[in-house]
Amino acid sequence: MASPPQLPPADDLYLTAHDTIRGKSLLSPATLGLGLGAALLGELMLWRRIDLVETELIVIDERPTGDAATTALLEQIRREAGQHGVRNWISYLSTGIGTDLVERRLARGGLIKRVEKRGLLGTKTSFVPADSMTAGWPATRIRTKVSRDEQLDVADLLLAGLILATGLDQTVLATLNARDRTRLFDQFRRLFPAMLQQLVAHAEAAVGDAVMARRA
């Protein structure tokens, strides 16, 4: 049986961050939003539409990406050039905007299904995976390649970096042993572009700030 296709990093992160059967999130809404916001920005970097210069996002190619979610984000970054740093963009997208963009994209692709449940307090809307194997594949792919000492491509390094930044690794990468994690961090050091390393570091710092704010 052929493996499911590799999706854009934000889609893969969304699926990884949810239970593969019921669609229950493994992260708080704020942490999920921060991870997805960074992932969407990372997609624009991977597709050479924006660069990260120090803390500022610079549009280097205004052409549409062929994807509604990232094209809309690219246009907004272009319109507001120089007004916000990368942390501000990650925080802005974490308010539900990034999650909504990714859910719409996954729903259009038939990878998640909208479910409505009526209760005493009204109707609750959620999304569940259309196929549990496809939903579980991103995390399985990362675990398998790392345990086999196979090289991850840059998109999967971005996904793995954001899994670590959001704390998802405690759940979805729990089976990796110390040697596996050493191999993964060696790939980050050798193969992960500096600009994406900075993006992941900003996402990790934003997650840490959000956790501290909830505890205060």
Side-chain angles (χ1 to χ4, degrees), residues 49-110:
R49 295 303 196 272
I50 62 173
D51 274 349
L52 176 57
V53 180
E54 295 183 351
T55 61
E56 185 176 349
L57 298 178
I58 307 295
V59 175
I60 58 175
D61 187 343
E62 299 179 0
R63 292 177 301 168
T65 64
D67 161 64
T70 48
T71 294
L73 179 56
L74 177 64
E75 175 59 21
Q76 187 170 5
I77 294 172
R78 186 195 66 78
R79 290 197 311 268
E80 301 180 29
Q83 298 182 37
H84 314 288
V86 62
R87 282 285 295 274
N88 296 113
W89 280 108
I90 293 172
S91 295
Y92 164 71
L93 291 167
S94 76
T95 60
I97 295 169
T99 301
D100 183 63
L101 287 172
V102 175
E103 284 177 339
R104 289 174 181 269
R105 186 165 68 180
L106 285 166
R108 283 196 300 269

Side-chain angles (χ1 to χ4, degrees), residues 146-183:
V146 171
S147 64
R148 292 178 178 175
D149 199 17
E150 296 177 2
Q151 183 171 307
L152 301 177
D153 63 22
V154 176
D156 267 352
L157 284 171
L158 175 59
L159 172 61
L162 291 173
I163 287 173
L164 291 164
T166 57
L168 264 177
D169 61 300
Q170 298 176 29
T171 304
V172 303
L173 300 184
T175 58
L176 296 185
N177 58 34
R179 183 176 62 178
D180 294 334
R181 285 179 175 263
T182 297
R183 289 169 173 169

